[in-house]
Amino acid sequence: MTAITSHVRDQHDADLRAEVRQWCRTHVPTDWRAAQTGASDAEFVRFQKEWFATLHSAGYAVGHWPAEWGGGMSVAEQAILFQELAAHDAPRLVLPFVSIHHAASTLLAAGTDEQRRRHLPAILDGEIWCQGFSEPGAGSDMAALSTSARRTGDAYIVNGQKLWASGALHADWCLLLARTDPKAPKRQGISYFLLDMSSPGVDVRPIRQATGESHFCEIFLNDVAIPASGLVGAENDGWRVAQETLGAERGMTMLELAERLGHGGFPWLVELCSAPGPDGSRPLDDTRVSDRLAQLETEITGLRLLASEFVSASSGPADASIVKLYYSELLQRVMDFGAEVGGLAAQTQVRKPLSSGWESGNWVLDFIGSWEWTIPGGTSEIQRTIIAERALGLPREPKVP
């Protein structure tokens, strides 16, 4: 890269940062935390859709999409965007998260032209998606799923149950895996579908969590008809298509989450450690606390660089698993430390803003919620197995008879 090219790029990045910074000052609602704490489901949905529309009108909602579909931002530009949104304490896109990441990446990689034309513009207009992968007997071992899809004429008749479906109560569509060939080896008999959640036979039931929220849901499917046009990829090729979805969950979303942790969660942790306690002393005055902060800052810096590198040029067979594993377990360490420093006062925080992320500043609730990230998209144990076998070339785990 020449000095002139580097200067032009630096100036462009500076101009973009100034633009986003000014936009945030004008458009980020200052009272959203109070309004979203204890908000009803209806208020949460309304706020999330309005915030998404605000970001989309500015060109900031789907920068990771291709330019022809409303995106086209470079990795460096997206990092700047996420840094400024976090620094200005902007709400997160919680409700559209699956739509703009998982659904979009799947449709762009494996969908038909018709499916992309139907759903990508609809997502930009507020269409909400959820993910129907896990089942009561198929969590970490997703290939063990038993939900069935039987071809009947121009449709598939689906029966079964899905679990841990984030946001399913408010979803319009679902990314669904079902078994179309019960006689085939586990990974070869699965197909991938787009399910209209308003279809007859779909029953969604929220699951109350330890934090008091009901972010996850169960989905019961009783003779649900999915048109053959809802099949993504070839029949019985759903396992391969699902890797595109999981790749987004383990990798593409990490850039935003890493910047949020670095520019949102960590500064609040420093602020917490800098505040005087009842006796006037500050936790930061303890060398053990300052050393721990330095260690966490170093780890977060590494995470941000790793996520940026992965999104820029993923080349390794286990890169997505490395980033996902690193983020999820670092998130736990940060929130664990925040809960420890917060002491008894942190135990009294019983609600957090619904439109916040995993780094809301409500340390005990954030710590409880951080454990979620070591489970979906493949548990930490699954990620370590992928890294060991695909990246390090270690012997594969023996198959259970």
Side-chain angles (χ1 to χ4, degrees), residues 155-381:
Y156 290 86
I157 306 302
V158 182
N159 286 278
Q161 178 187 355
K162 294 296 178 178
L163 197 60
W164 311 124
S166 301
L169 191 64
H170 310 299
D172 303 302
W173 287 81
C174 175
L175 302 169
L176 183 75
L177 289 179
R179 189 165 299 284
T180 42
D181 186 352
K183 297 180 180 180
K186 289 196 305 183
R187 297 185 181 184
Q188 298 177 22
I190 297 172
S191 295
Y192 199 115
F193 298 96
L194 309 179
L195 167 66
D196 185 343
M197 292 293 283
S198 65
S199 302
V202 177
D203 180 16
V204 180
R205 303 178 191 177
I207 301 171
R208 185 175 176 82
Q209 300 162 225
T211 57
E213 301 172 333
S214 296
H215 178 65
F216 302 111
C217 298
E218 296 176 282
I219 305 175
F220 294 87
L221 306 161
N222 183 22
D223 288 337
V224 177
I226 299 180
S229 59
L231 179 68
V232 181
E235 186 176 294
N236 297 323
D237 195 31
W239 181 265
R240 181 191 61 80
V241 178
Q243 303 316 302
E244 300 292 343
T245 310
L246 294 174
E249 187 167 26
R250 295 171 183 164
M252 292 300 291
T253 61
M254 291 295 108
L255 183 64
E256 176 193 359
L257 297 175
E259 295 298 343
R260 283 275 182 176
L261 188 58
H263 289 264
F266 185 74
W268 291 332
L269 183 59
V270 174
E271 182 179 341
L272 174 69
C273 294
S274 303
D279 62 351
S281 65
R282 303 183 310 159
L284 193 58
D285 295 332
D286 188 327
T287 56
R288 293 171 298 179
V289 172
S290 58
D291 287 349
R292 184 70 173 130
L293 284 175
Q295 178 183 344
L296 290 174
E297 184 177 25
T298 302
E299 292 184 76
I300 291 172
T301 300
L303 169 68
R304 292 173 55 211
L305 292 172
L306 189 64
S308 178
E309 177 64 24
F310 169 76
V311 177
S312 299
S314 176
S315 58
D319 285 0
S321 292
I322 292 171
V323 178
K324 196 268 185 183
L325 177 66
Y326 188 9
Y327 169 79
S328 60
E329 299 199 349
L330 175 56
L331 179 69
Q332 283 187 356
R333 292 193 292 274
V334 172
M335 300 312 158
D336 184 18
F337 187 59
E340 179 182 353
V341 175
L344 291 176
Q347 308 293 324
T348 65
Q349 298 172 319
V350 296
R351 289 188 175 181
K352 59 186 288 186
L354 293 180
S355 294
S356 62
W358 289 270
E359 62 296 301
S360 72
N362 296 60
W363 299 105
V364 171
L365 295 181
D366 286 342
F367 175 61
I368 295 173
S370 70
W371 287 86
E372 171 192 337
W373 257 99
T374 60
I375 299 173
T379 64
S380 291
E381 291 77 11

